[in-house]
Amino acid sequence: MEDYLAAEIQIHWPENFTAESDREKKEWMEALLECISESLSDYEVAEKIWSNKTNKTCADCKAGNPDWASINLCVVICKQCAGQHRSLGTNISKVQSLKLDISIWSNEIVQLFIILGNDRANRFWAARVPPSEVLHSDGCIEQRRDFIAYKYRDGKYRSPHPHYSTQEEILKMLCAAVSGPNLLKTVMQFFSDAESIDDPNDSSTLVLQSAENWSASTYNINVEGLSLDDVNHGRVYDEIMQPVVHSGYLNKAAVVSKTFTSKKMKDEFHKQWCVLERSLIFYENDKSSEQIGRIDPCEVACLGVNRTDALNSPAAVERFRFTFEIFLTSEKVHQFGTDAAETLQTWTNAVGKWFTPISCHCLLGYEFQRVGRMRYKAMLNPDQWMEGFFLLQKCHLFICPEEQGAAEDSVNLRRLQELTVAPITEYSEKKDILILVEKGRTLYLQGITRADFTAWSSDIQAAACSGGNMLRDQQLSRNDIPIIVDSCIAFLTQYGLRHEGIYRKNGAKSRIKLLMDEFRKDARNVKLRISDNFIEDVTDVLKRFFRELDDPIFTTELHPQWREAAEHSEKAKRLEKYMELINHLPKVNRATLAALIGHLYRVQKCADLNQMCTKNLSLLFAPSLFQTEGKGEHEVKIMEDLIDNYASVFSIDEEQVTQMDLENSLITTWKDVQLSQAGDLIIEVYLERKEQDCCVTLKVSPVMTAEALTNQVLDMRNIQPSTDIWLTFEVFENGELDAIFRKAELDNKQKEPNCWMNDQQS
């Protein structure tokens, strides 16, 4: 039925379906939702966790291929059991999907589920289940509900624990562990302590040593630490426990020192027999016993991978499609080439596991751009450089610290507010560092050598750019909406509310194309200014961006339901259905739609100035947002409803609406402002924390730079200024930090009209 329904949907989306009974309707709806869920699924996390074969069956009812999990209880469960877990509350079971909620699956949590597995978790949770109370996959809802409540809420079947006497204490400890540091070590210690009661000599407790030493190399992981039962069940942990051993022929280029280019021709490579054990050793051929080269893991700074699109490469025949490079701490680079994707994957996986800690290993089975060591520091400890392993996978930079007890982390590079290369002087030596600014923190990165830093910098900057033509692939602002949308809305709100015919008048095609190309190349570095950009060009760029998305903001999948909602004659029912559909949109679509409708709400509130009422805006935007090519009475109706009822549909309270009206008033009455020396502003600057004791009030002139402001504040507090440590941020009314000001930016900011609210706390 599911396959048939999927086919029907693709062909007959505009059709209405009817069922002969409520039961049949329910079955079809369940199948439809299952198809939608499957289309949104990402199997990456699930496949990693299923590599432990005991996770291939539900921990509660033994159903096959479970794709949900309780994070704090450390069990993989099926969809039916997940529903009962969720009804217990998050203080008992924190339920997440293996396929849909992939953002919460940190490297360390995945490691925990692979090492522990359902079998071992159930030795604790289900140690004393009577045969008559065992739950089966075909059990009814009542049986499933009661069994799961007894098992986890009441702890009826669990084994005793030497350190926790009540079920409440156990649940509280596990909930705290999954959100705290040292997750892997803490949770493995918990289960190992429980097992020690049953059998003090059980060798499975030695697996804890692996958890404690998870930042060591694979050679420090002892396979003998597994219990006999684990070994007899297909050695499920072999993939992450066994030492790396690999051999085969590789095309290798001559070693390059310091200067390096990846564009080598095939005739510059020579086939060599390579053996990877404790060292990577090179021979003339597989019969030779004399080494012609050798690399030890301690020499490796990083491993980089290059994949060339054969269709778009003009020299695909003369060059290898795939290459990878090993950068050494001596600034030498070893380059290898192949035309086989399987060879590339096998070798890069093996080499990656060979020189990195186990915390990186579950990510190395998938395509990545670069992995290796870097030095880093954060603003919480700006004077101390630390060293750790980093792995770049698509737009995510994963951090695996070497310090004992340090937590793993990751950065979504497309959400950065700023990404720049800056020079520093360290021990009289000039070096470059990479500065990553995201919401709430700043990260500084430094390579082990100049060569590997250049490679890291290039890859990270490329990964931070937009990766496709879907909303989720764009560079995102601090509000989690595409930067191109955020920038255009901000510019048009500031300069376009009084502009007659805004969004109706067209810009110049050549300028629009140039601006679109700049945004697509790197939206983060595009600065819209009234002196450089035309309002008509920016309005066309915004509409064109939505029109050219691969999937419209309202989504093709939900389009029939939007049309159906618009057909309700009662306004209240329409709005209720709209709100329901908005909640079903992906997060980035939901946030972007709210921002855009909020902006259009502002525009129509100034219709007496710009001549653009709700009807006019709806007629112009509906074709772009729904991608209907000018057709669609229902779509225009939807836009009218959303704009006119913006506050109720998007849950905007009365205070926020009043704030928006005040801002509109200030923006539209502040005409052609040119600040002079007599127009100094009095502002509040908070030093490190937003507390009254940390507040400094000072006068800011139109020509004051950010550096001067920072130094003046520090001087008032008798603190020695240092541009390497102190950064100045602009704070918006919602309390979030904008991008940091660089030395001479404040005067430029102040020359543009700003909205200074009557609430100085804003």
Side-chain angles (χ1 to χ4, degrees):
M1 183 173 72
E2 293 178 14
D3 293 338
Y4 171 75
L5 179 60
E8 288 294 303
I9 290 172
Q10 290 177 3
I11 299 171
H12 302 296
W13 254 125
E15 301 283 344
N16 291 322
F17 294 95
T18 58
E20 295 181 359
S21 65
D22 288 340
R23 179 179 177 182
E24 186 177 2
K25 176 184 175 182
K26 183 179 179 182
E27 290 175 351
W28 276 102
M29 288 301 295
E30 289 177 350
L32 174 62
L33 292 172
E34 187 69 28
C35 289
I36 294 173
S37 175
E38 187 67 21
S39 69
L40 298 174
S41 295
D42 187 330
Y43 281 79
E44 184 172 318
V45 170
E47 289 174 352
K48 293 174 185 174
I49 290 178
W50 288 343
S51 66
N52 182 326
K53 294 180 182 178
T54 67
N55 290 334
K56 291 282 283 183
T57 56
C58 174
D60 295 331
C61 71
K62 306 304 178 189
N65 296 324
D67 53 3
W68 291 79
S70 172
I71 299 295
N72 60 308
L73 301 176
C74 304
V75 290
V76 184
I77 52 180
C78 66
K79 182 178 180 181
Q80 287 70 28
C81 289
Q84 299 305 319
H85 273 258
R86 190 174 282 110
S87 67
L88 297 176
T90 56
N91 61 319
I92 296 176
S93 183
K94 299 179 184 292
V95 181
Q96 298 290 350
S97 170
L98 303 188
K99 299 177 181 177
L100 301 177
D101 303 329
I102 60 172
S103 61
I104 66 96
W105 288 96
S106 70
N107 199 3
E108 193 175 10
I109 295 177
V110 172
Q111 291 278 340
L112 173 63
F113 273 73
I114 294 174
I115 294 174
L116 190 64
N118 277 348
D119 184 56
R120 191 170 174 199
N122 268 337
R123 292 182 205 168
F124 175 73
W125 295 117
R128 302 173 179 178
V129 179
S132 60
E133 295 185 33
V134 171
L135 179 65
H136 299 286
S137 59
D138 58 354
C140 65
I141 294 178
E142 291 74 20
Q143 289 174 322
R144 203 178 296 269
R145 179 192 62 210
D146 292 342
F147 176 84
I148 290 172
Y150 289 148
K151 183 177 179 181
Y152 301 108
R153 185 191 64 196
D154 303 331
K156 179 179 178 181
Y157 310 127
R158 69 171 174 83
S159 64
H161 198 282
H163 304 307
Y164 305 94
S165 56
T166 67
Q167 186 69 1
E168 183 180 355
E169 290 176 338
I170 289 173
L171 294 173
K172 186 176 180 180
M173 175 269 166
L174 289 173
C175 284
V178 297
S179 58
N182 303 321
L183 181 154
L184 183 60
K185 178 180 177 180
T186 303
V187 177
M188 291 298 294
Q189 180 73 59
F190 171 87
F191 283 97
S192 295
D193 288 346
E195 292 171 347
S196 66
I197 292 180
D198 298 328
D199 183 2
N201 297 316
D202 186 355
S203 62
S204 64
T205 59
L206 294 178
V207 175
L208 176 62
Q209 297 172 6
S210 299
E212 291 175 338
N213 297 317
W214 60 288
S215 62
S217 71
T218 51
Y219 292 111
N220 294 329
I221 305 301
N222 188 352
V223 179
E224 294 177 359
L226 300 173
S227 68
L228 182 61
D229 183 56
D230 291 330
V231 175
N232 290 338
H233 279 82
R235 305 181 68 82
V236 295
Y237 306 118
D238 278 2
E239 179 181 342
I240 62 170
M241 296 296 188
Q242 69 182 12
V244 177
V245 177
H246 193 65
S247 61
Y249 278 105
L250 277 175
N251 300 294
K252 185 177 182 300
V255 178
V256 179
S257 297
K258 295 188 179 182
T259 55
F260 170 67
T261 174
S262 60
K263 299 184 180 298
K264 288 184 176 292
M265 310 302 282
K266 283 186 177 180
D267 57 11
E268 297 181 75
F269 290 80
H270 302 283
K271 187 173 289 187
Q272 294 182 6
W273 179 254
C274 305
V275 177
L276 180 65
E277 289 180 341
R278 293 190 177 275
S279 299
L280 177 57
I281 304 173
F282 310 110
Y283 300 91
E284 286 286 353
N285 53 59
D286 58 346
K287 307 297 183 183
S288 176
S289 60
E290 184 177 348
Q291 299 180 16
I292 58 173
R294 175 193 183 98
I295 302 174
D296 291 320
C298 61
E299 298 179 79
V300 180
C302 72
L303 166 68
V305 183
N306 299 299
R307 297 172 175 84
T308 303
D309 187 346
L311 296 177
N312 297 328
S313 175
V317 178
E318 292 81 10
R319 297 192 180 102
F320 285 111
R321 283 190 60 197
F322 309 108
T323 60
F324 65 93
E325 305 92 36
I326 299 177
F327 288 73
L328 305 186
T329 55
S330 61
E331 300 221 36
K332 293 182 178 179
V333 181
H334 293 256
Q335 187 178 15
F336 306 85
T338 179
D339 283 324
E342 184 179 354
T343 301
L344 178 80
Q345 182 67 18
T346 302
W347 272 102
T348 54
N349 188 340
V351 173
K353 289 182 176 180
W354 165 66
F355 79 97
T356 64
I358 195 172
S359 53
C360 297
H361 290 187
C362 65
L363 293 166
L364 291 167
Y366 301 85
E367 288 188 3
F368 62 91
Q369 294 98 297
R370 191 165 299 276
V371 62
R373 285 182 290 149
M374 276 198 289
R375 300 174 69 207
Y376 69 100
K377 66 178 180 179
M379 284 306 297
L380 292 177
N381 198 355
D383 293 324
Q384 181 181 352
W385 285 99
M386 298 173 285
E387 194 166 297
F389 280 85
F390 289 72
L391 187 141
L392 180 60
Q393 189 176 68
K394 296 182 179 178
C395 66
H396 293 277
L397 183 65
F398 295 91
I399 309 168
C400 308
E402 287 193 317
E403 284 73 16
Q404 184 67 26
E408 292 180 9
D409 206 347
S410 66
V411 177
N412 185 335
L413 299 173
R414 293 197 187 125
R415 293 174 184 254
L416 293 178
Q417 295 180 34
E418 182 176 341
L419 176 61
T420 55
V421 176
I424 63 168
T425 302
E426 189 176 58
Y427 304 116
S428 302
E429 182 183 359
K430 290 186 177 181
K431 295 182 178 179
D432 285 337
I433 61 170
L434 200 59
I435 304 175
L436 287 68
V437 181
E438 61 176 345
K439 184 162 45 175
R441 69 171 175 179
T442 301
L443 189 67
Y444 296 85
L445 301 179
Q446 187 182 107
I448 303 299
T449 69
R450 292 182 184 275
D452 80 288
F453 173 79
T454 301
W456 273 111
S457 178
S458 175
D459 285 351
I460 288 174
Q461 291 185 75
C465 295
S466 298
N469 212 27
M470 300 283 284
L471 271 177
R472 63 172 181 266
D473 298 327
Q474 307 304 307
Q475 293 171 291
L476 302 181
S477 72
R478 64 184 183 279
N479 300 318
D480 290 334
I481 68 175
I483 291 177
I484 181 175
V485 176
D486 199 40
S487 297
C488 291
I489 287 177
F491 177 85
L492 295 169
T493 298
Q494 190 167 359
Y495 300 111
L497 295 183
R498 295 186 292 117
H499 191 75
E500 185 176 343
I502 182 175
Y503 288 113
R504 187 175 64 237
K505 297 179 180 179
N506 296 324
K509 291 183 178 180
S510 59
R511 294 197 304 262
I512 293 168
K513 182 180 183 304
L514 182 62
L515 190 54
M516 283 292 295
D517 290 343
E518 289 177 357
F519 272 116
R520 284 172 175 156
K521 182 179 179 181
D522 189 0
R524 196 179 294 105
N525 288 323
V526 177
K527 307 298 180 186
L528 297 176
R529 301 188 186 280
I530 193 62
S531 57
D532 301 327
N533 302 104
F534 292 84
I535 290 175
E536 293 84 0
D537 295 345
V538 177
T539 57
D540 275 1
V541 163
L542 186 61
K543 289 185 292 183
R544 180 174 170 180
F545 169 75
F546 286 109
R547 187 169 62 249
E548 294 181 353
L549 288 172
D550 287 346
D551 190 40
I553 190 171
F554 288 100
T555 73
T556 303
E557 197 169 45
L558 294 177
H559 194 167
Q561 295 179 53
W562 283 104
R563 290 177 59 88
E564 183 181 336
E567 291 174 352
H568 285 289
S569 58
E570 295 182 31
K571 174 182 170 182
K573 286 188 176 180
R574 290 201 307 275
L575 298 185
E576 181 182 354
K577 187 62 178 177
Y578 294 155
M579 294 170 70
E580 182 181 326
L581 289 170
I582 288 170
N583 287 331
H584 280 84
L585 290 173
K587 181 181 177 181
V588 65
N589 295 53
R590 194 163 59 243
T592 306
L593 182 64
L596 179 64
I597 299 299
H599 167 66
L600 297 179
Y601 171 82
R602 284 182 186 271
V603 173
Q604 62 84 30
K605 291 284 280 187
C606 301
D608 56 327
L609 297 172
N610 57 44
Q611 308 302 312
M612 293 302 293
C613 62
T614 298
K615 182 71 173 181
N616 291 339
L617 292 171
S618 300
L619 287 168
L620 289 168
F621 268 92
S624 295
L625 300 186
F626 284 96
Q627 297 184 2
T628 54
E629 298 181 1
K631 305 173 185 177
E633 178 183 343
H634 292 89
E635 290 76 9
V636 173
K637 179 64 178 173
I638 292 167
M639 287 299 299
E640 288 186 78
D641 284 340
L642 291 180
I643 295 172
D644 284 338
N645 301 279
Y646 164 69
S648 59
V649 171
F650 293 96
S651 303
I652 308 299
D653 60 38
E654 187 176 343
E655 184 179 348
Q656 289 174 283
V657 173
T658 302
Q659 179 88 348
M660 292 176 71
D661 291 340
L662 175 59
E663 291 170 5
N664 271 14
S665 176
L666 290 172
I667 293 170
T668 55
T669 56
W670 196 340
K671 299 181 180 179
D672 304 321
V673 172
Q674 292 294 326
L675 295 179
S676 65
Q677 289 292 86
D680 294 346
L681 298 173
I682 306 298
I683 68 171
E684 293 177 338
V685 179
Y686 290 88
L687 195 65
E688 293 189 302
R689 296 184 301 278
K690 191 179 180 183
E691 298 174 1
Q692 198 57 41
D693 292 342
C694 302
C695 181
V696 175
T697 302
L698 74 160
K699 183 187 294 185
V700 178
S701 73
V703 295
M704 177 178 277
T705 65
E707 183 178 22
L709 182 146
T710 303
N711 290 340
Q712 183 175 335
V713 171
L714 295 175
D715 183 62
M716 292 170 70
R717 287 303 178 98
N718 296 318
I719 299 173
Q720 183 65 33
S722 172
T723 54
D724 289 337
I725 296 178
W726 296 98
L727 302 174
T728 304
F729 291 81
E730 179 182 10
V731 182
F732 288 84
E733 62 269 14
N734 59 1
E736 293 180 348
L737 299 179
D738 188 21
I740 60 177
F741 289 148
R742 294 297 180 195
K743 296 185 178 181
E745 286 183 352
L746 190 60
D747 60 320
N748 291 328
K749 279 272 185 180
Q750 204 174 331
K751 287 174 185 174
E752 298 175 359
N754 291 284
C755 294
W756 296 94
M757 301 296 102
N758 55 358
D759 178 10
Q760 288 189 331
Q761 291 289 329
S762 297

